[in-house]
Structure formats: structure tokens, C-alpha cells
Amino acid sequence: VQLQASGGGSVQAGGSLRLRCTASRRIGSDYGLGWFRQVPGKEREFVGAIRWSMGRTYYADAVKGRFTISRDNAKNTVYLQMNSLKPEDSARYYCAADPVWTVTYYYEPNQYVYWGQGTLVTVSS
């Protein structure tokens, strides 16, 4: 499956952005979709994930209460709504798909098989 991420941009601190990740085909019920972010020189960081079939979501502590993941089954699309953005949220954001969801390792980048190209988010102070 191919993933296409979009929606990044530049915003001031306190602002909002909504990222979108669209899959090239139907997402199977066993899938998990994750969002990660990365800044140059640092490791890829888990942001959040959603179990496709149940819609249950998981978040990193750094974004809990500010970011929300949702999905649209009919459009094979997952969204990342980012509110109250901070300069430290600046990064390239990636969506990824895990064909065999496991609640144990949803935060591990290595668990995900398919990756989008990333979309850049810049938050200025």
C-alpha cells in the first residue's frame, strides 16, 4: 500500500494544522496506522496511532490532549489534528501502516511496513 501525507505548513505557536494521510487502497481491518515525526539528527519519534478496525487511538505523552487522530474508512484516510502547536512540534511528519496490528509495539517505527513521504510542519514562536 502506498501512503500520501499532506497538510503540513508553517504556523505560529498556538495555532492548528490538520495532516492527512491517504492510502492507495482499502485499509484492512488488521491494520494499524501511525504518525511519527523526525527532525534532522534525531531519531524518528512516535506521535500517535490508530487501530483501524476499532478506531482506538494511542498518543505520545508529548502530544496527548493537543493532537487527535481520526479516520475515514470510505476514503482510506487518517487524519492528525494538531492544536495548540508548540515550536518543539516542528518536524517532518510521517504516516505509516502496520499490516498486523499489535498493541504491544505500536510506538515502534520498525513495526510499520509502509511509509509515506512525510510532510513538513514548522511552528514559529
Side-chain angles (χ1 to χ4, degrees):
V1 61
Q2 293 181 327
L3 302 173
Q4 180 73 36
S6 60
S10 297
V11 65
Q12 289 191 330
S16 298
L17 283 174
R18 188 174 79 155
L19 306 185
R20 179 186 300 108
C21 176
T22 301
S24 58
R25 60 172 175 80
R26 177 183 170 275
I27 300 296
S29 60
D30 291 337
Y31 272 67
L33 272 291
W35 285 99
F36 292 80
R37 64 188 183 186
Q38 190 171 24
V39 297
K42 292 190 175 182
E43 293 187 353
R44 197 160 291 188
E45 176 188 22
F46 172 73
V47 175
I50 184 168
R51 183 174 182 178
W52 195 256
S53 61
M54 300 177 63
R56 184 171 180 177
T57 54
Y58 304 80
Y59 299 97
D61 288 343
V63 306
K64 201 171 293 184
R66 299 188 297 122
F67 291 11
T68 303
I69 295 175
S70 61
R71 75 192 191 304
D72 185 329
N73 286 10
K75 296 182 178 180
N76 300 320
T77 297
V78 61
Y79 302 95
L80 179 65
Q81 178 66 45
M82 305 187 295
N83 298 329
S84 302
L85 282 162
K86 305 174 181 179
E88 52 263 43
D89 293 319
S90 297
R92 181 168 292 277
Y93 283 70
Y94 298 87
C95 61
D98 173 9
V100 184
W101 172 263
T102 169
V103 71
T104 306
Y105 299 112
Y106 61 83
Y107 53 87
E108 291 281 2
N110 291 338
Q111 187 67 24
Y112 294 80
V113 175
Y114 306 104
W115 288 83
Q117 85 289 359
T119 185
L120 186 63
V121 172
T122 303
V123 184
S124 58
S125 58

